[in-house]
Each structure stands twice: as structure tokens, then as C-alpha cells.
Amino acid sequence: MSDNASNSPAIKRPDFFSIDNGDKAALPFADAEYHNRLAGLRARMAARDIPAVLFTSMHNIAYYSGFLYCAFGRPYACIVTADQCVTISANIDFGQPWRRCIGENVIYTDWQRNNYWRAVKHVLGNVTTVGVEDDHLTLAQRGLLAEFLGNPQIVDMSGDCMQQRMVKSAAEIALITEGARVCDIGGAAIRDAIKVGAREIDVAMAGRDAMELEIARAFPDAEYRDTWVWFQSGINTDGAHNPVTARAIESGDILSLNTFPMISGYYTALERTLFAESVDDASLGYWNTNVAAHELGLSLIKPGVSCADVCAEINTLFAEADCLQYRSFGYGHSFGVLSHYYGREAGLEIREDIDTVLEPGMVVSIEPMLTIPEGAPGAGGYREHDILVVTETGATNITGFPYGPDHNVVG
């Protein structure tokens, strides 16, 4: 090191700072949508006498601010008070979080440990009560919150926020409907790519590429990330979330098509059972039973019906067909800001232990699945999946890709 370098003055390193780098970008929704969401949240905060909420999850930060972060091991936040919505982001992102959020942004640096919490303290000030997400905030971070904020009363707001997110706005339903349309495009590309000898990965890439191209066409102002496909064959169909492999399709294989376009943090899905070239009698029997359960579920989605009641009726159908023992999970779930690595509206799943009553504006799937163990006649996983928007009088199915043996024996 030269003498000049060693004698140079130390760089002043801030703990945090703000910068408006460029212009605000177009968010997934109009400003009014975010203001309505924040107004709903603030009403819940006022009802519980909570002056500030510190969000740490990807789904709630995106829902209230528009900014979908990439953690890579770093903490992020969105702080909402009666008159502020401020995102807290890492310096590695620089100006992008400010451009992609509805409110203001504070950037924390890594010059010293826990600058994140110093930035949070700067925004929150001397609050005596703060709302958090108990289902996301780790024990380690909860301890630092208490240390840096002076041990305030900590109140869980995750349930309140989930309840708000479960009923979608018209703008959200429009985006989800577009996502379902993109699912169908991916499904068609996958179906066209299926042939004996093709690898799962090759078929999956065809579906993913088709969806990403369509998302880029339909949403020119969006950020593009996270769209994916699970295409499974043979024994790999036994789990709904089994990853893609290089297994080659064989004649007579059961196949599972699963398309998942991601549009600005919003997830949609299409799932279909198919067979390569032919389907044997045992497999056809299970497939038809699962299709019957799927159609029953579709017919049951309407306002005033509970998730548990829908589950009970599908259970009865499977029990009468001596197939209930092959059911592997619940029969559907909510949609919105979620993906396979963040977000979940656990209060709106089609399961025995969920008594939530369906109401207009909710968006749910019907997705029964039977898994027959390897070695038994008809072995494999049978799964169909449609998305429904609950209306004032019933439900609208926004999935268009055909299902069942009449359409999906390929080759």
C-alpha cells in the first residue's frame, strides 16, 4: 500500500441512507389499489390500537408496497404507520426497491452488523407497540427487535393480514385471470412437446419458455422471475411437488403437467394428468374417479359453503370408490401473492380442519389427487387442478385447459 493510500482520510460510512435513483416504475397495480390495501390495514391497526406494523415476509411486503424482495440471506421490511409506508432494503439492491414500491425507501449498509435494525429504528422512532408477523419473524430477529426498539410490546398481525389478503380486489382478480390464461398457454406447449423418448426437462422447458414469452408480451412493465414447470412421468408423478428430472417418457407412462407462471409475485397454476400413447384399464379407473372428484369439487364452490364442507363431500365420493386411502393432501387452496417459497393463506384451504366460509372475491383451486403406490395396478399420481373465483351467486372457473381421458392421452 502506498503512503498516500495509508494516509488518506477514512471514508464516511453511513448506517443507512435514502436515494431516489431514477424514476418510479410502473407497479403491478395502480396507486389506488395500494392505498386501498393500506387503508384496510390501518383500520385493523386502529381497531387493535397498534401504531406501527413491521412486515418482514415477501408476500406482505409485496402486497402492501409493491416491492418483491430477493433476500439472499438478508432481512427486508415494510413499515406501515398511520401516515407512512416505508420499505427497508439492502444496499446491494440500491435504487430498485424505491423504484418498485408505493412509498419511501431506506437502504441499510453492511459497514457494521445490525444496520438493518438501525434503519428500522430510524423509521419507527420510539414506538411502544409494534405489530409483526409471528409466522415469519425468527426468534433471533425478534430478540434484536426488542433490543434496538427498547423492548416494545410485540403484537402478531399475521392473521389480520391473511384475512385481508383472502378476499381479492377486482384488480387482483384480473391479474389472476391473466395468470390462468398463461397457465393454459404453457399447458398447450407441454402437451405439444410430449413424445416417447423426450426427457422431463425438455418438456418442462417448452412450457416454461412459452409462459415467460407470453408474460413479457402481456406485461411489458413487469419484472420477470420465478415462472416454472414441474413435468413428471411414471413413478415421479407420486408427489405433487416432485422436481423435474432427466427421465425419458416411455409408452404407457402416466404423466403430470404442472404450469406455474409468476406475475409480479402472483402465482397461478394448471395441473393435469396425461398418459403417453395409451392408458391401461386400472389406470383409467383411478383417473375417472379422480376426474369425478374434481367435477364434484368444482360444483361445490359457491358463497356460504365452508372449506370443511367441500372437503367432506369429496371425501365421501372417494370413500364410496374405495380410494380415500390414496388421497395425499387437501383439495385446494387460495391464490394471490404466494409461490413455492413464500406466502400461504392457510385459512383458505380445502381441508377438514378449515371452517372458513367462502365469500365473493375469494379465489380457490380444486385439485384432488390420488396416489397409487408403485407395483400396484394403476400406479402413479392422478391430479387435476382448476382455479375458481367465488362470485355473488356461484363461482367462475378461469382455467380453460381440458382434462380427462378424452383429451389427454397423448400420441
Side-chain angles (χ1 to χ4, degrees):
M1 180 179 294
S2 69
D3 289 342
N4 287 340
S6 62
N7 293 328
S8 61
I11 298 172
K12 182 174 175 57
R13 296 175 171 179
D15 295 337
F16 51 84
F17 63 97
S18 294
I19 186 169
D20 301 349
N21 196 47
D23 298 322
K24 284 284 193 179
L27 296 181
F29 301 100
D31 289 0
E33 172 75 11
Y34 293 103
H35 294 321
N36 287 339
R37 295 177 184 183
L38 290 167
L41 171 64
R42 286 167 176 146
R44 289 168 167 80
M45 292 164 60
R48 299 185 62 184
D49 196 23
I50 299 172
V53 177
L54 172 69
F55 292 112
T56 50
S57 70
M58 294 180 75
H59 46 282
N60 274 328
I61 292 175
Y63 183 79
Y64 291 110
S65 78
F67 169 55
L68 185 67
Y69 68 73
C70 175
F72 252 120
R74 296 178 175 90
Y76 286 73
C78 176
I79 295 170
V80 179
T81 66
D83 56 4
Q84 283 188 302
C85 177
V86 181
T87 52
I88 308 291
S89 60
N91 196 12
I92 194 169
D93 300 320
F94 204 63
Q96 186 258 8
W98 175 80
R99 292 194 299 274
R100 293 280 177 177
C101 77
I102 190 64
E104 296 306 312
N105 172 253
V106 175
I107 298 169
Y108 72 91
T109 68
D110 60 1
W111 303 127
Q112 64 174 325
R113 190 180 302 277
N114 292 324
N115 277 348
Y116 168 83
W117 285 107
R118 293 181 179 92
V120 169
K121 168 68 174 176
H122 169 73
V123 175
L124 282 176
N126 297 316
V127 293
T128 57
T129 302
V130 61
V132 300
E133 299 171 80
D134 270 359
D135 58 359
H136 187 267
L137 189 68
T138 66
L139 289 173
Q141 292 289 52
R142 190 183 181 95
L144 290 168
L145 184 158
E147 176 185 341
F148 277 83
L149 299 185
N151 205 29
Q153 180 185 10
I154 300 174
V155 181
D156 180 32
M157 285 289 290
S158 57
D160 299 71
C161 298
M162 179 184 68
Q163 292 292 328
Q164 182 179 4
R165 297 196 320 271
M166 281 182 356
V167 179
K168 313 303 177 192
S169 68
E172 286 182 285
I173 291 171
L175 182 62
I176 292 168
T177 300
E178 274 292 275
R181 182 184 66 82
V182 174
C183 283
D184 290 345
I185 290 172
I190 287 172
R191 195 180 190 281
D192 289 345
I194 292 172
K195 61 181 179 181
V196 171
R199 299 177 303 171
E200 292 178 2
I201 183 63
D202 299 319
V203 177
M205 286 191 294
R208 183 201 63 206
D209 290 351
M211 290 191 295
E212 289 188 328
L213 286 170
E214 179 58 20
I215 293 169
R217 186 202 66 80
F219 298 89
D221 296 323
E223 296 176 316
Y224 309 116
R225 53 173 151 172
D226 303 329
T227 291
W228 84 102
V229 166
W230 285 323
F231 177 77
Q232 301 131 348
S233 63
I235 192 172
N236 294 336
T237 64
D238 67 344
H241 298 166
N242 291 352
V244 173
T245 75
R247 183 186 184 278
I249 298 171
E250 301 175 7
S251 182
D253 267 350
I254 185 172
L255 310 172
S256 187
L257 173 163
N258 311 267
T259 63
F260 308 105
M262 293 295 300
I263 304 173
S264 298
Y266 276 70
Y267 159 102
T268 46
L270 165 70
E271 300 172 11
R272 289 290 184 259
T273 300
L274 308 95
F275 274 79
E277 297 188 333
S278 64
V279 53
D280 63 90
D281 289 343
S283 298
L284 184 61
Y286 288 123
W287 195 2
N288 281 327
T289 297
N290 201 59
V291 164
H294 183 61
E295 292 177 338
L296 173 61
L298 296 176
S299 73
L300 296 172
I301 301 300
K302 63 188 69 173
V305 176
S306 77
C307 294
D309 289 342
V310 174
C311 182
E313 293 214 33
I314 301 175
N315 278 349
T316 297
L317 183 152
F318 274 152
E320 291 174 349
D322 193 25
C323 287
L324 186 57
Q325 67 272 29
Y326 299 129
R327 168 192 158 191
S328 57
F329 57 89
Y331 297 122
H333 57 78
S334 183
F335 283 80
V337 185
L338 64 99
S339 83
H340 57 311
Y341 58 86
Y342 65 84
R344 192 73 170 183
E345 293 164 9
L348 192 51
E349 300 193 14
I350 312 298
R351 295 200 323 242
E352 292 89 344
D353 59 333
I354 304 297
D355 58 6
T356 301
V357 175
L358 299 177
E359 59 182 275
M362 291 179 171
V363 182
V364 297
S365 61
I366 287 293
E367 49 177 309
M369 179 176 179
L370 296 174
T371 302
I372 312 304
E374 189 70 6
Y382 301 79
R383 187 165 67 259
E384 314 294 346
H385 179 300
D386 287 22
I387 302 173
L388 298 100
V389 178
V390 182
T391 66
E392 296 290 339
T393 58
T396 300
N397 189 333
I398 59 174
T399 297
F401 196 88
Y403 59 82
D406 292 341
H407 305 282
N408 289 328
V409 178
V410 182

